[in-house]
Amino acid sequence: MNIIDIKINDLVPYENNPRFNEKAVEKVKASIKEFGFKVPVVVDKNNVIVAGHTRVKAAEQLGIEVVPCLVADDLTDEQVKAFRLVDNKVSEFAEWDFSKLEEEMAELGDFDLSEFGFAEIEREQDFIGDLLDNGLGVDEQVKESDIFGITFNFPIEKRAEIEAWVKKVTKDYVVAMIMDEVAKDGN
């Protein structure tokens, strides 16, 4: 696997890129400024970007003219197309272990991660933690709480699983509400 430097002007954005990455560009720019360009862009044999559109946009905005690239010339056209989708999709399945995240962040001292989106994660954690702490779960022991007329009992070791479920259900509910409102406005 060879990583080579390629001029940004020689890279070709994939014309049918299914990801909206504009919201991430500022955070990636901050990461590149702080740590350097550490993750190469993956391109096909024609320099079409397979993975790394956001990094390239961030680099362009920072005035970087050359970026490290990995040429995926060992993949068929079909594999390139599949890898482009898979590379973006698999990150959606990762979840935070909030207790380990808290430990890691505590060890950073004064290093501010809010520029990289960690303030949002903390708010999500606080929201879910508040729900669980105030009746939708347990802390040190199994406890019963009556919220919305429903009692929830579960062991502490299930907290992360339930946090993930609450987050997903909440997200799905909000998306459904938005779609309902859009549909109403369209009529």
Side-chain angles (χ1 to χ4, degrees):
M1 176 169 23
N2 291 331
I3 296 175
I4 60 172
D5 289 336
I6 299 178
K7 292 179 182 177
I8 285 184
N9 292 340
D10 292 339
L11 297 177
V12 180
Y14 179 58
E15 67 183 35
N16 201 30
N17 183 17
R19 293 285 286 193
F20 296 114
N21 54 10
E22 290 304 318
K23 290 181 181 178
V25 173
E26 287 301 315
K27 299 203 181 342
V28 173
K29 279 173 48 179
S31 176
I32 292 171
K33 282 187 215 174
E34 181 67 37
F35 308 111
F37 205 105
K38 299 297 184 206
V39 181
V41 175
V42 180
V43 297
D44 69 11
K45 59 188 173 240
N46 299 312
N47 285 354
V48 176
I49 299 171
V50 176
H53 286 86
T54 308
R55 290 188 297 282
V56 169
K57 284 182 182 183
E60 283 177 318
Q61 291 180 17
L62 290 169
I64 297 172
E65 296 178 8
V66 176
V67 294
C69 295
L70 183 130
V71 181
D73 55 5
D74 61 328
L75 301 177
T76 67
D77 290 344
E78 185 178 55
Q79 287 176 315
V80 165
K81 196 173 275 290
F83 179 74
R84 183 179 286 116
L85 297 173
V86 169
D87 183 62
N88 281 296
K89 183 66 177 169
V90 295
S91 66
E92 295 175 15
F93 296 100
E95 297 174 359
W96 289 102
D97 178 327
F98 289 118
S99 61
K100 289 181 181 178
L101 175 61
E102 190 174 324
E103 287 175 28
E104 288 294 309
M105 291 177 73
E107 292 177 11
L108 292 176
D110 292 334
F111 198 99
D112 182 11
L113 292 177
S114 62
E115 188 173 16
F116 306 101
F118 279 90
E120 290 89 356
I121 289 173
E122 289 171 351
R123 280 196 295 277
E124 286 177 9
Q125 176 190 2
D126 290 345
F127 170 73
I128 294 167
D130 288 348
L131 284 176
L132 294 168
D133 292 340
N134 293 319
L136 291 179
V138 298
D139 282 321
E140 298 304 318
Q141 302 172 349
V142 174
K143 81 178 181 187
E144 293 185 359
S145 295
D146 190 359
I147 302 266
F148 309 116
I150 302 171
T151 301
F152 296 88
N153 295 311
F154 58 85
I156 187 76
E157 59 269 11
K158 293 288 188 180
R159 182 180 180 114
E161 183 180 334
I162 291 170
E163 285 176 350
W165 180 83
V166 168
K167 183 177 174 183
K168 180 188 179 318
V169 169
T170 303
K171 177 182 172 185
D172 291 347
Y173 177 72
V174 170
V175 168
M177 283 179 30
I178 291 169
M179 296 305 290
D180 287 345
E181 287 302 314
V182 169
K184 286 178 191 174
D185 289 343
N187 291 331

